[in-house]
């Protein structure tokens, strides 16, 4: 909860009247940067979180065009203004109150203990927090049995005590059902491919190669929604080094000792005698490193055209005969009919061939010895899949090894439980997020942003007319929308989707096994229908002729239907515009002239402000950073233009005393860009300076937002597009 102490508010909120004059130096907004620049109020969530003490009201702009130079401050409304909007306030007061509650709830996961909102959360944290609230036991159930099952699963995951009581027994019982393993001395010599198919089909475990579903990039330009089985190299638990000179990969020997040690610790928890761990862990590490030498980093695979190799399952069987590909893929995508003539996409065929040869060689070498290293390798892979469902000792071993390899980031327990719930209930949760967060206002924001973006791109000066026609036709043909087909499921259909799920709040292990089966069904559904839920996706993507804007983007504090539109468009509108520009025009710098000229203009003026006159050409700006400056400035322009469009439908917006609409918009843009910019490494300047440029180019900004922190030594008209 936010601290509403007046002293805290004074520190957090700087009203226009309190801001320095435009000709005075302004303090730093982001501590990361040492130079002085524009001061804007903190992000509007902090303003709203304190607004219960300040008071909120709505007001209408008097003129038909609210984008004239004279903006009405939220604190300067006359009595007549207040009477004009009294009915509007009463009409929406209930929704606004709910919105404030949502905003206050949204600070729980990321505000400091002193109650002050220090930073804007990253998008993943915001989305996970929103899902956590949906899964909260006190949250009203609106989708019937399916949502209650998701809540029960989340509750059982949070109940760590029951897992601690069970210890390693659930995994040992499952291991016995699978035929045992050579490590314990009790193993019924199960068939290699039978075990592999079982792990892939029922336990979402892929020991030797990864399998997933997705489109082929060459078909994304068409309206096709067809998805293919895709086969890739697996993820290894230890870091792999790549020698660019020899073009060879090898396991980083620095991490093999802790990897071997972790293997032994797992075996101790599983009751394996210590005199058996040396041999079996040695074989496990040896097989792992033997497979890893055939992996390639993504840049190399791109350069060698190793991605998206089309082949039939029958051809793959000939190239890599050690794996029964048809049986394994049939198990993975049951009940779908998979045939030998089906096309699959392979992303590293040399690895797949090497893997097959390695499996055959190890089968021959160890068959008579009875050591079963291939079976042990598969069981260890299954253990890694199931560690989230076991007691904390297993997780701690995994965590200690992650720390040893340099991964020191640790997520809270509730975060992991949300992700595990989403793994099986992704369709339900996408539906729930849309119902709760992304209503009509979300659709309108998407359309406004995309319309503004198309207008921006139409006005560009292109380097090649034919290419510009192709790009603009492509962009005009795409339809941005918030939902995929699965979001149109009714409550009855959602309940039917999860009707076979039976959960036990005291047995998380069995619950987790059901999640893995739900994941298998989701994978098969994606292959069959060519549609997918966004899950935890937080950026737009192209599907056929549609640009899918995931519902996961529309969560507090980035968006809420009761927030002021200035806040929604300044935060999520600008983020969405930036995402779309990166998605649609990743190489815009080579396609159009504007990015270079506009970004260099911004850069030149930035140097003039921070370094003084005459520095404009002194520092070279790489093309990647030139493009990002243009993308960020364009995103600001697109979002602001989209906000203007919203006023063609509604002249009313809510605000705060002392803040005009545009002031709140620019504050929101600056704060969210400063705190959560995913492209920060490519930005050579503070995002607040983009507001400086915008303010100099228009009469939209209140005087304190003219933003010049040094005497102007350049024209007021800056970098017009």
């Amino acid at each position: 909860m936010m601290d509403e102490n007046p002293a805290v508010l004074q520190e957090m909120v700087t009203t226009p009247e309190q801001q320095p004059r435009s000709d005075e130096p302004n303090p730093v907004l982001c501590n990361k940067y040492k130079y002085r620049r524009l001061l804007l109020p903190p992000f509007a969530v902090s303003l709203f979180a304190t607004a219960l003490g300040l008071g909120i009201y709505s007001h209408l702009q008097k003129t038909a065009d609210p984008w004239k130079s004279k903006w009405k401050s939220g604190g300067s409304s006359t009595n007549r203004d207040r009477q004009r909007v009294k009915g509007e306030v009463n009409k929406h007061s209930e929704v606004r109150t709910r919105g404030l509650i949502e905003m206050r709830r949204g600070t729980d996961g990321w505000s400091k203990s002193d109650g002050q909102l220090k930073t804007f959360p990253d998008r993943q944290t915001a989305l996970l927090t929103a899902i956590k609230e949906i899964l909260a036991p006190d949250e009203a159930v609106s989708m019937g049995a399916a949502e209650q099952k998701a809540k029960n699963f989340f509750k059982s995951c949070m109940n760590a005590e029951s897992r601690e009581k069970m210890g390693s027994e659930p995994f040992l019982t499952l291991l016995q059902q699978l035929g045992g393993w050579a490590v314990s001395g009790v193993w019924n010599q199960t068939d290699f491919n039978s075990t592999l198919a079982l792990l892939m089909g029922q336990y979402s475990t892929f020991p030797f190669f990864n399998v997933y579903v997705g489109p082929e990039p060459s078909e994304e330009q068409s309206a096709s929604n067809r998805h293919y089985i895709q086969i890739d190299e697996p993820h290894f638990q230890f870091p792999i080094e790549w020698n660019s000179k020899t073009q060879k990969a090898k396991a980083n020997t620095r991490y093999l000792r802790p990897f071997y040690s972790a293997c032994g610790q797992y075996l101790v928890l599983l009751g394996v005698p210590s005199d058996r761990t040396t041999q079996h862990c040695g074989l496990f590490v040896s097989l792992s490193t033997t497979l890893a030498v055939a992996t390639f980093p993504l840049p190399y695979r791109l350069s060698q055209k190793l991605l998206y190799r089309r082949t039939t399952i029958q051809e793959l069987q000939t190239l890599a005969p050690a794996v029964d590909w048809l049986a394994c893929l049939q198990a993975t995508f049951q009940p779908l009919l998979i045939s030998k003539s089906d096309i699959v996409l392979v992303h590293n065929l040399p690895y797949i061939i090497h893997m097959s040869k390695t499996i055959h060689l190890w089968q021959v070498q160890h068959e008579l010895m009875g050591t079963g290293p291939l079976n042990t390798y598969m069981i260890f892979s299954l253990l890694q899949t199931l560690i989230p469902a076991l007691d904390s000792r297993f997780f701690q071993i995994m965590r200690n090894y992650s720390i040893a390899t340099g991964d020191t980031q640790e997520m809270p327990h509730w975060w992991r439980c949300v992700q595990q719930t989403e793994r099986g209930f992704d369709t339900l949760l996408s539906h729930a997020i849309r119902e709760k967060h992304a209503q009509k206002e979300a659709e309108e924001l998407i359309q406004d942003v995309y319309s503004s973006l198309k207008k921006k791109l139409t006005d560009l000066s292109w380097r090649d007319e034919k290419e510009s026609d192709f790009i603009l036709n492509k962009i005009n043909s795409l339809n941005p929308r918030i939902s995929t087909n699965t979001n149109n499921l009714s409550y009855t259909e959602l309940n039917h989707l999860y009707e076979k799920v039976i959960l036990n709040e005291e047995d998380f292990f069995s619950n987790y096994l059901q999640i893995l089966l739900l994941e298998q069904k989701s994978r098969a559904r994606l292959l069959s229908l060519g549609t997918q839920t966004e899950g935890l996706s937080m950026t737009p993507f192209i599907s056929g002729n549609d640009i899918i804007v995931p519902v996961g983007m529309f969560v507090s504090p980035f968006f809420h239907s009761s927030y002021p539109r200035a806040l929604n468009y300044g935060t999520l509108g600008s983020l969405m515009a930036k995402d779309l520009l990166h998605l649609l025009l990743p190489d815009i710098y080579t396609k159009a002239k504007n990015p270079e000229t506009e970004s260099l203009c911004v850069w030149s003026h930035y140097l003039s402000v921070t370094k003084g006159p005459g520095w404009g050409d002194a520092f070279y700006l790489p093309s990647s950073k030139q493009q990002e400056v243009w993308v960020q400035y364009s995103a600001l322009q697109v979002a602001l233009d989209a906000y203007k469009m919203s006023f063609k439908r509604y002249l009313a917006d809510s605000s705060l005393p002392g803040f005009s609409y545009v002031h709140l918009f620019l504050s929101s843009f600056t704060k969210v860009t400063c705190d959560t910019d995913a492209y920060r490494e490519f930005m050579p300047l503070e995002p607040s300076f983009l507001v400086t440029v915008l303010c100099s180019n228009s009469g939209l900004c209140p005087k304190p937002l003219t933003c010049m922190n040094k005497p102007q030594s350049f024209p007021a008209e800056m970098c017009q597009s």
Side-chain angles (χ1 to χ4, degrees):
M1 300 295 288
M2 300 297 298
D3 192 341
E4 296 177 10
N5 184 284
V8 175
L9 299 184
Q10 185 174 4
E11 179 181 345
M12 294 176 61
V13 181
T14 303
T15 66
E17 292 77 7
Q18 295 169 321
Q19 291 186 18
R21 298 192 310 273
S22 59
D23 59 347
E24 292 182 4
N26 288 322
V28 173
L29 178 63
C30 293
N31 292 332
K32 178 182 176 182
Y33 298 87
K34 295 182 179 179
Y35 52 82
R36 288 181 161 181
R37 56 212 178 259
L38 149 75
L39 173 66
L40 288 176
F43 174 59
V45 167
S46 64
L47 305 181
F48 264 67
T50 60
L52 292 182
L54 294 175
I56 286 185
Y57 65 95
S58 298
H59 64 92
L60 293 173
Q61 192 69 12
K62 281 189 173 184
T63 63
D65 181 8
W67 300 94
K68 298 295 184 182
S69 60
K70 294 183 179 180
W71 277 76
K72 296 296 181 182
S73 169
S76 61
S77 301
T78 65
N79 290 333
R80 182 176 299 178
D81 292 331
R82 297 188 183 97
Q83 290 299 321
R84 275 184 80 188
V85 301
K86 182 177 180 181
E88 188 76 10
V89 174
N90 292 337
K91 178 180 179 181
H92 298 290
S93 60
E94 182 179 352
V95 174
R96 188 173 301 108
T97 299
R98 289 200 302 268
L100 285 171
I101 294 173
E102 291 298 325
M103 295 176 112
R104 294 175 68 85
R105 285 179 178 173
T107 67
D108 291 346
W110 44 276
S111 59
K112 297 288 187 179
S113 59
D114 61 3
Q116 299 184 44
L117 183 60
K118 299 295 184 182
T119 59
F120 201 104
D122 63 83
R123 291 200 237 181
Q124 186 180 32
T125 300
L127 176 56
L128 291 173
T129 300
I131 296 177
K132 178 187 176 185
E133 292 175 355
I134 291 172
L135 296 172
D138 57 344
E139 185 74 10
V141 177
S142 60
M143 298 180 191
E147 184 173 352
Q148 189 58 56
K149 289 178 180 180
K151 289 173 178 286
N152 290 342
F153 177 83
F154 179 72
K155 181 179 179 180
S156 69
C157 179
M158 294 295 291
N159 181 11
E161 183 179 352
S162 62
R163 292 201 297 278
E164 298 302 319
K165 290 180 179 179
M166 291 186 174
S168 58
E169 190 60 34
F171 185 80
L172 292 173
T173 301
L174 176 61
L175 186 56
Q176 185 178 6
Q177 295 171 357
L178 295 175
W181 60 340
V183 175
S184 65
V186 181
W187 179 40
N188 63 5
Q189 302 283 327
T190 50
D191 175 71
F192 168 79
N193 274 295
S194 297
T195 301
L196 180 60
L198 182 63
L199 296 187
M200 293 173 62
Q202 292 191 27
Y203 301 102
S204 286
T205 298
F206 305 93
F208 299 100
F209 51 88
N210 195 13
V211 177
Y212 54 92
V213 176
E216 185 177 20
S218 61
E219 295 184 359
E220 287 186 357
Q221 307 299 328
S222 67
S224 173
N225 282 328
R226 182 177 180 183
H227 284 60
Y228 295 87
I229 296 174
Q230 314 220 11
I231 299 173
D232 203 348
E233 59 186 45
H235 169 71
F236 288 93
Q237 299 170 37
F238 46 82
I240 299 174
E241 294 180 341
W242 172 253
N243 189 318
S244 58
K245 292 183 179 180
T246 62
Q247 294 188 338
K248 299 287 186 180
K250 68 173 184 177
N252 190 319
T253 55
R254 175 184 174 186
Y255 303 113
L256 290 184
R257 181 173 295 276
F259 183 63
Y260 173 86
S261 176
C263 171
Q265 293 173 46
Y266 286 132
L267 294 185
V268 170
L269 293 183
L270 295 174
V272 176
S274 58
D275 60 344
R276 302 182 66 89
T277 60
T278 301
Q279 179 188 29
H280 290 284
C281 284
L283 289 171
F284 173 63
V285 173
S286 178
L287 178 55
S288 300
T289 56
T290 301
L291 292 170
V293 298
T295 61
F296 300 124
L298 182 58
Y300 179 81
R301 288 193 278 168
L302 284 169
S303 67
Q304 299 300 310
K305 297 182 172 21
L306 294 176
L307 302 180
Y308 299 100
R309 163 77 180 266
R310 292 173 66 97
T311 183
T312 64
I313 295 176
Q314 187 171 7
E315 292 169 341
L316 187 61
Q317 189 65 55
T318 302
L319 293 169
V323 174
D324 187 340
W325 292 99
L326 183 61
C328 288
L329 294 177
Q330 284 176 336
T332 303
F333 296 99
Q334 58 183 316
L336 301 184
L337 178 63
I338 306 295
S339 66
K340 293 182 178 181
S341 60
D342 286 351
I343 296 292
V344 296
L345 304 179
V346 181
H347 295 292
N348 185 353
L349 186 58
Y351 167 81
I352 299 298
I353 294 173
H354 170 79
M355 173 209 67
S356 176
K357 292 179 179 179
T358 301
I359 290 174
H360 176 70
L361 180 63
W362 281 61
Q363 283 176 325
V364 173
Q365 290 179 341
H366 294 274
E367 182 176 6
L368 297 178
M369 299 172 59
T371 51
L374 295 172
N375 179 266
T376 299
Y377 187 89
M378 290 189 285
I379 297 301
F380 266 121
S381 297
L382 176 63
L383 177 63
Q384 288 296 313
T385 301
L386 297 178
I387 279 179
L390 297 173
D391 71 74
S392 60
R393 297 173 300 167
F394 290 89
F395 176 79
Q396 194 58 51
I397 294 172
M398 182 180 68
R399 179 69 191 134
N400 290 341
Y401 177 69
S402 297
I403 294 174
T405 59
D407 180 10
T408 58
Q409 184 178 5
E410 186 171 5
M411 62 180 67
H413 180 61
W414 72 263
W415 193 331
R416 298 196 300 270
C417 286
V418 167
Q419 290 181 321
Q420 290 156 19
T421 307
E422 187 272 342
R423 190 172 182 176
F425 292 93
D426 53 346
T427 301
L428 171 75
L429 293 174
S430 294
H431 198 289
I433 289 173
R434 181 175 183 182
E435 288 290 307
K436 183 175 182 180
H437 295 274
Q439 298 294 330
K440 175 185 176 183
E441 293 81 3
E443 297 280 4
E444 291 176 345
L445 185 145
I446 292 174
Q447 296 304 322
D448 287 341
V449 168
Y450 198 68
S451 296
S452 175
L453 184 142
K454 288 194 293 184
K455 177 183 175 183
K456 171 73 177 178
L457 298 182
T458 301
D459 294 338
L460 292 182
S461 175
W462 298 89
R463 300 182 186 275
D464 183 271
E465 185 175 348
K466 290 184 179 179
E467 191 166 29
S468 71
D469 290 340
F470 173 79
I471 293 174
L472 293 177
N473 287 336
K474 169 190 172 183
I475 290 174
N476 286 325
S477 67
L478 293 173
N479 173 45
R481 59 187 178 88
I482 196 173
S483 63
T484 59
N485 292 342
T486 52
N487 286 119
N488 296 325
L489 294 175
S490 66
Y491 293 159
T492 301
E493 291 170 319
L494 284 170
N495 290 332
H496 177 71
L497 195 62
Y498 299 100
E499 64 180 357
K500 294 184 179 180
V501 177
I502 301 176
L503 301 175
N504 181 349
E505 292 187 16
E506 299 300 322
D507 187 0
F508 181 66
F509 187 84
S510 65
N511 294 345
Y512 192 77
L513 295 183
Q514 293 187 71
I515 287 294
L516 299 180
L517 289 175
L518 286 174
E519 189 176 45
Q520 183 276 326
K521 291 180 180 179
S522 178
R523 193 181 298 116
R525 188 165 59 250
L526 174 57
L527 180 63
S528 174
L529 302 177
T531 59
Q532 67 183 88
T533 57
E534 305 88 68
L536 292 179
S537 175
M538 291 156 286
T539 55
F541 59 91
I542 297 176
S543 177
N545 275 344
D546 294 324
I547 298 177
I548 305 300
V549 182
V551 294
M553 294 181 68
F554 293 87
V555 296
S556 174
F558 296 97
F559 178 90
H560 196 277
S561 59
S562 66
Y563 289 5
R565 296 200 308 282
L567 192 156
N568 286 335
Y569 282 75
T571 54
L572 187 56
S574 61
L575 290 175
M576 188 183 301
K578 195 186 309 180
D579 289 341
L580 290 173
L581 286 168
H582 280 291
L583 173 69
L584 300 173
L585 298 167
D587 53 354
I588 183 62
Y589 184 83
T590 64
K591 308 295 184 184
K593 301 176 183 178
N594 306 67
E596 180 179 10
T597 56
E598 293 178 22
S599 61
L600 289 180
C601 182
V602 172
W603 179 239
S604 175
H605 287 304
Y606 167 74
L607 292 177
S608 297
V609 170
T610 58
K611 300 290 185 180
W615 288 83
D617 299 323
F619 295 92
Y620 171 71
L621 192 63
S623 58
S624 60
K625 294 189 176 182
Q626 289 182 33
Q627 173 161 316
E628 190 57 35
V629 169
W630 180 83
V631 167
Q632 300 251 6
Y633 187 49
S634 297
L636 171 59
Q637 294 173 314
V638 166
L640 182 59
D641 187 57
Y643 183 38
K644 292 180 184 180
M645 290 180 183
S646 73
F647 273 85
K648 294 180 180 180
R649 293 186 301 273
Y650 317 106
L651 290 179
D653 194 7
S654 52
S655 186
L656 287 173
F659 292 94
S660 66
Y661 300 148
V662 73
H663 196 175
L664 187 55
F665 173 92
L666 295 174
S667 300
S668 303
F669 165 81
T670 303
K671 185 61 177 170
V672 74
T673 307
C674 178
D675 288 347
T676 66
D677 185 13
Y679 306 96
R680 180 172 296 158
E681 62 179 301
F682 299 108
M683 274 296 285
L685 50 86
E686 174 65 23
S688 61
F689 190 77
L690 301 177
V691 178
T692 299
V693 177
L694 182 74
C695 291
S696 298
N697 284 340
S698 67
L700 298 180
C701 306
K703 184 175 181 180
L705 285 180
T706 53
C707 314
M708 297 306 168
N709 52 12
K710 288 189 178 182
Q712 295 188 28
S713 57
F714 45 86
E717 297 275 328
M718 292 167 52
C719 311
Q720 296 277 15
S721 58

